[in-house]
Structures are given as C-alpha cells and as structure tokens.
Amino acid sequence: MAFPKQVRLVEVGPRDGLQNEPEPISTATKLELIDRLGAAGLSYIEAASFVSPKWVPQMADHREVMQNLARLDGVTYAALTPNLKGLEAALECGVEEVAVFGAASEAFSQKNINCSVAESLARFEPVLERAQAAGVRVRGYVSTVLGCPYEGEIAPAKVAEVSKALYEMGCYEISLGDTIGVGTPLKAKRMLEAVSREVPMAQLAAHFHDTYGQALANLYVVLEEGIAVVDSSVAGLGGCPYAKGASGNVASEDVVYLLNGLGIETGIDLDKLADTGTWITQAIGRPNRSKVGVALAAR
Amino acid sequence: MAFPKQVRLVEVGPRDGLQNEPEPISTATKLELIDRLGAAGLSYIEAASFVSPKWVPQMADHREVMQNLARLDGVTYAALTPNLKGLEAALECGVEEVAVFGAASEAFSQKNINCSVAESLARFEPVLERAQAAGVRVRGYVSTVLGCPYEGEIAPAKVAEVSKALYEMGCYEISLGDTIGVGTPLKAKRMLEAVSREVPMAQLAAHFHDTYGQALANLYVVLEEGIAVVDSSVAGLGGCPYAKGASGNVASEDVVYLLNGLGIETGIDLDKLADTGTWITQAIGRPNRSKVGVALAAR
C-alpha cells in the first residue's frame, strides 16, 4: 500500500470541539480561533452548527460566527445543518459547504437525534436537495463506525450501508466517525474495507477520536489504505461527552506531526497550529489535549 | 507481515516511571505498586535502579524494594545496574535479571552518563561478565534511537552498531528507546530494519515514549515487523524529563488495549492494570497519562 502524497485536514475544533463546552465562549473568541486556524494553513474549517440553541446553546451564535469570520482565500468554512431550517439559515449567512450527521447505530441515532437511522436519512433528503439547488456541497458524517456507547460492536456492513445511502443521496464526502474512540487498527481497516466497496476511497474521510489513545495508530492504517482526508480538532478540543475527563477528537497537531513524519503534505504550519492550540486552551481554560502541543510549548 | 501471537510487556513504571518524581515516594507504595502490577498479569517488572542515591535519590531504597517485594511465580523482577558496584548490591538482594543503559547518541551519552558511547560499552563489560558468572541475564537499553535532545537526528546505522555491541557482549535482549518520543512510524520501521540486520528480531524490544503522541502508531509498525517485547509504564508514569509537563513512557494500559484489539495475547488483565494506574496516580498525586486508564475510570 502507498500513502497519499497529500492529506487534507478538516478542522472541527470550532464546531465539534466547542459545542460541548459548559461555559459560554464569546463569538469574538470563536472568530479569532477560526482566523488563527486559517492562518496556520487549515484549508477546511467547520465553523458552526445551525442547530436549535435549545439543544446546543454553545452554537447559538452561529449566524454571527458565519457572517463575521474573515474569509481567507483557499479556505472552506463549513457548517453543520441537520435540517432544512438550519440549512436555510446557513445559506443566508453565505455558508460554502454544509454537513449532515447520521449514525451507524440505531440506538445512538435514537438517543442522539431521536429517530431511527432510516428516518434520519429521510430527513436529510430535502437538505441535500435544497443545498444542491443552492450550489452548496454537502458532507455526510456517519458516527459510531467502530463502536457505540449503547450497542457496543457495530457491523462494518451497517457502516457501509449508511455510508452508501448518504453518498447516493448526494453527499460528496463521507466522514467515518469513531465517536467514542474505541477502535483499534485492524477494526478500522476492516470497517474501511467494507465501506470502500460501496463508496470510492477518494470520497471517504476518517474522523477518529482518541478516547483510548488509539487514534493515530488507526489513522496510520487507514492512510495506508488510501484515506486522504482526516478530521481533527486543534488541541483535541471537545473531550468525550460519553466519558467525562477523557479525550475526544484526535488533536490536529498530533495528526500533522504524524503526517509530517510520513512525508505527507498538508500545507499546515505546525508551530502556528500548536500556538493556536496553546492560545485557545488558555483562553477557555481547558487542558491542551495535544501531546505535540504540550511538548512544543514545553521546549 | 504477520503480528506476533503473544507480546511480553516489560513494565518499567516502578523504575523508569518513578525515578524522576520530585517528591519522595515511600518504599511501601513502591512495593504495593509492584505487587499490584504482578497481580494484574505483568510478567516482567523493572523494580529498582542500583545507582548512587546522589544521582537518583528516588531510587535510594533499591535494597529495601528488591528484598521485600512479594515474588510471584512467573514474574521476573529486574533492576538497572549501570556499574559493577550496583550489580554487586543487586546480586546481594537476589535480583533475577539486570539491565545496563547505553545510548545511540554521543552527546546524550556524555550528558547523561558522563562518558562516550565507547567508554560506556567498556564499562558494561565487567558488569556483563560478573552477571553471567552469577547466572543472571542482562538486558541492554539503547536510548535516543529515534532522535536525541542534543544531536537531533540519529542514524539507524549508529543504533544498529551500539545494539550489536551490547548483543555481542552478552545482553540477551536489546531494548530500543525513543527516549524523547520524537519518532514516527516510518522512522521507527527504518531504524528497526537497520538494527534487525545485526541483532535477531526475537532479541529486540521497543521502548517508545509518547511525548508527541506517536508511540502506539510506532508500536503498531514495529509489531508488524515482528517485535514481540514492548516496554511501557503503568499510567504513563514518569513524564518527560526533557519537556516538563509532557508525556514520557507509553502507558501500559494503552499498549494492552492496542494489543487486545490486534488479537495479540499478553496475559494481562486490563481492568486490574487500569485500576493500578488509577491507584498509583492518586497515591502520588500525578495525572493519569493513560488515555485508556482515564476512559475506563470515567465509565
């Protein structure tokens, strides 16, 4: 197997990372974070989530964020839009790309978005149609691809089925999420093999959490299989909502360090990225969950 | 490549992990730690270091530790013995195995043990001879195999040369240490390829630090190459003396989780091991650096 020459990082810190923060984070801080990430070379930043403030109060300022971020050339600013109402609001703010969020686990879908997997897919259809009509690309997330906090093991065939449905519905990229970070390399490889029989490898992304410390080992394996898009969060922002105090999203700095070592280009300035991680964790009073970030700051 | 069916973990927490702790740790705590590790299924525990208390005050009670630990059947209790004086003291305490500590970097050798690499090897010769006469096996550490805090890059050929010298001198196993945790998978692979041309793979061990979060990815690759002995530290005890606040030894819990996922046997009870990590970090007031340990404790 050969590694890809280039990997695109999808930076989810401002959205997936901050959405679970218990204390309010100012719009100005979010905007500065997004700005710094772009300046560090991240070319794709998920900036906000257009969901009801009733469910995710931390993302209530999604309009202000999307309308006021400094748009850098070559950077895509995306938003999560789980339903048509959210999409319309995002479109009004000039969003360039949106994302929908499905699950490979029935129990997770029920607990997380109050509907079955099939129902969630049906809900996404009008979102996809409207986005396509507006010329906006849609990314599809599939969560719990390597395990579910409620169901435990998830069959690779189920992940492949949901991925295929989102792909056929029009999602240009499917992001495969190990939502609770329980995966290990062979499991990740088997899951990817099943999914890539249904969706082309070039349309797949890895969204791995580091809750059990396995994210980089898992990424190594899927990169070897041909994955060239990786989701990550600066400073590992976000933690794990299913295990208080544990790690969530793999840290962008740690991914970039791995990719640099593999000779894979990212266009990202690791020092600037690490400085951004140090700054945001200090600004919001959270631990820096990037080992690279901590090590570089300690030099 | 095929993974080994079984991997032996060399638990270095009580020695490599605790030796840099600034606050005194009681002999009773050390003994309980060693006892719990054995009960969790660790079959090889580096229990003490027979060095001058002037240099490593935390290991000043090495005699008390070695003489009072509860020896479990099937568990090897080893000690670091960098010179003949240390070895004699360890032999008096009934040590079963000892280890010597060399470096692949001239600058590191000078700063760490005040002599050149060649001089350090010459010093080990009488240690090896005396140990062999006493029927005690000797393990050889080679540090800075993937980078040096003073020299930077280290040539794989240099690692191979030092490893070969220790092996030919009589060390039955050579532990390859990424002392500052800077390695990435391809670098680890290339280093191992160079060393395994001089020393049989079955006589090599991986001793990787997780300072930049890469340890498990690096371990995955060397396991694939045939490494079947891994050094680690419960709860990642030890930190990194070269970057304050950063991670040091890879956490035993995280390694066992990886190995379990790969279907590789270790004989270790992960829950008991994680409980031991929770207990010792609380006992000495340090953060638990095992992501698996933190995640399991948060369930």
Side-chain angles (χ1 to χ4, degrees), chain A residues 182 210-211 213 216 247 257 291 298, chain B residues 182 210-211 213 216 247 257 291:
Chain A
V182 291
D210 201 32
T211 318
L216 289 193
S247 296
Y257 190 95
K291 294 207 172 188
Chain B
V182 291
D210 201 32
T211 318
L216 289 193
S247 297
Y257 190 96
K291 294 207 172 187

Side-chain angles (χ1 to χ4, degrees), chain B:
Chain B
M1 311 273 181
F3 291 106
K5 283 197 177 130
Q6 292 190 315
V7 159
R8 177 163 58 87
L9 257 69
V10 168
E11 171 61 46
V12 299
R15 196 279 302 171
D16 199 11
L18 297 184
Q19 69 180 3
N20 295 310
E21 282 297 313
E23 299 299 320
I25 295 164
S26 76
T27 307
T29 300
K30 293 178 186 175
L31 289 170
E32 183 169 350
L33 173 60
I34 294 164
D35 197 33
R36 284 180 182 241
L37 289 166
L42 271 306
S43 63
Y44 192 108
I45 303 170
E46 204 175 67
S49 181
F50 284 75
V51 288
S52 165
K54 194 171 70 179
W55 300 114
V56 189
Q58 194 60 263
M59 294 284 123
D61 60 351
H62 43 233
R63 281 178 184 273
E64 290 72 20
V65 169
M66 282 310 298
Q67 284 171 337
N68 292 297
L69 48 82
R71 292 177 190 271
L72 300 179
D73 276 351
V75 182
T76 301
Y77 301 92
L80 195 70
T81 58
N83 53 44
L84 208 46
K85 192 181 164 197
L87 174 62
E88 293 295 353
L91 290 174
E92 283 167 24
C93 300
V95 74
E96 294 158 60
E97 270 202 35
V98 295
V100 295
F101 191 91
S105 152
E106 285 296 341
F108 190 85
S109 186
Q110 288 290 353
K111 296 233 184 193
N112 202 46
I113 52 177
N114 285 309
C115 64
S116 72
V117 171
E119 284 165 347
S120 76
L121 294 174
R123 282 187 202 174
F124 296 151
E125 271 183 45
V127 177
L128 267 289
E129 279 170 26
R130 177 70 184 96
Q132 280 163 342
V136 163
R137 298 206 299 177
V138 183
R139 196 166 193 252
Y141 283 105
V142 181
S143 64
T144 61
V145 303
L146 296 175
C148 166
Y150 313 111
E151 283 185 26
E153 296 287 323
I154 297 294
K158 180 75 186 179
V159 184
E161 180 194 320
V162 177
S163 300
K164 186 185 179 192
L166 285 168
Y167 183 63
E168 290 185 342
M169 203 183 282
C171 290
Y172 81 98
E173 186 167 282
I174 311 296
S175 172
L176 300 163
D178 181 11
T179 312
I180 53 172
V182 291
T184 44
L186 293 189
K187 198 185 254 193
K189 193 174 183 173
R190 283 186 206 117
M191 180 276 296
L192 184 61
E193 281 167 358
V195 176
S196 63
R197 281 195 289 269
E198 304 293 342
V199 180
M201 192 68 84
Q203 264 60 58
L204 296 174
H207 180 110
F208 291 168
H209 284 215
D210 201 32
T211 318
Y212 288 78
Q214 313 292 311
L216 289 193
N218 297 344
L219 282 175
Y220 177 84
V221 171
V222 300
L223 290 164
E224 213 174 15
E225 296 282 314
I227 283 281
V229 182
V230 174
D231 298 5
S232 61
S233 171
V234 63
L237 286 181
C240 178
Y242 305 96
K244 275 256 184 268
S247 297
N249 288 294
V250 66
S252 306
E253 299 91 314
D254 299 4
V255 175
V256 172
Y257 190 96
L258 173 74
L259 295 171
N260 285 350
L262 298 175
I264 298 172
E265 285 171 32
T266 63
I268 294 165
D269 182 323
L270 180 55
D271 286 321
K272 278 192 187 172
L273 178 60
D275 287 348
T276 302
T278 302
W279 165 78
I280 186 64
T281 49
Q282 286 172 354
I284 67 173
R286 309 299 281 170
N288 190 336
R289 293 186 192 278
S290 164
K291 294 207 172 187
V292 168
V294 171
L296 290 181
R299 273 190 317 199

Side-chain angles (χ1 to χ4, degrees), chain A residues 51-263:
Chain A
V51 289
S52 166
K54 194 171 71 179
W55 299 114
V56 188
Q58 194 61 263
M59 295 284 124
D61 59 353
H62 42 232
R63 281 178 184 273
E64 290 71 22
V65 170
M66 282 309 298
Q67 283 170 338
N68 292 296
L69 48 83
R71 291 177 192 272
L72 300 179
D73 275 352
V75 181
T76 301
Y77 300 92
L80 195 70
T81 58
N83 53 44
L84 208 46
K85 192 180 163 197
L87 174 63
E88 293 294 354
L91 290 175
E92 283 167 24
C93 300
V95 75
E96 295 158 59
E97 271 203 34
V98 297
V100 295
F101 190 91
S105 152
E106 285 297 340
F108 190 85
S109 186
Q110 288 290 355
K111 296 234 184 191
N112 202 46
I113 50 177
N114 286 308
C115 63
S116 71
V117 171
E119 283 164 349
S120 75
L121 294 174
R123 282 186 202 176
F124 297 149
E125 272 183 43
V127 176
L128 268 288
E129 280 169 26
R130 177 69 185 96
Q132 279 162 343
V136 162
R137 299 206 298 177
V138 182
R139 196 166 193 252
Y141 284 104
V142 182
S143 64
T144 62
V145 302
L146 296 174
C148 167
Y150 313 112
E151 283 184 25
E153 296 286 323
I154 297 294
K158 181 76 186 178
V159 184
E161 181 193 319
V162 178
S163 300
K164 185 185 179 191
L166 285 169
Y167 183 63
E168 290 185 341
M169 203 183 282
C171 290
Y172 80 98
E173 185 167 282
I174 310 298
S175 172
L176 301 164
D178 181 11
T179 312
I180 53 171
V182 291
T184 44
L186 294 189
K187 199 184 254 193
K189 191 174 184 173
R190 282 186 207 118
M191 179 277 295
L192 183 61
E193 281 166 358
V195 177
S196 62
R197 281 193 290 269
E198 305 294 341
V199 180
M201 192 68 82
Q203 264 59 57
L204 296 173
H207 180 109
F208 291 167
H209 284 215
D210 201 32
T211 318
Y212 288 78
Q214 314 290 311
L216 289 193
N218 298 344
L219 282 176
Y220 177 84
V221 170
V222 299
L223 289 165
E224 212 174 16
E225 297 282 315
I227 282 281
V229 182
V230 175
D231 298 5
S232 61
S233 171
V234 64
L237 286 181
C240 179
Y242 305 96
K244 275 254 184 271
S247 296
N249 288 294
V250 66
S252 306
E253 299 91 314
D254 299 5
V255 175
V256 172
Y257 190 95
L258 174 74
L259 295 172
N260 286 349
L262 297 175

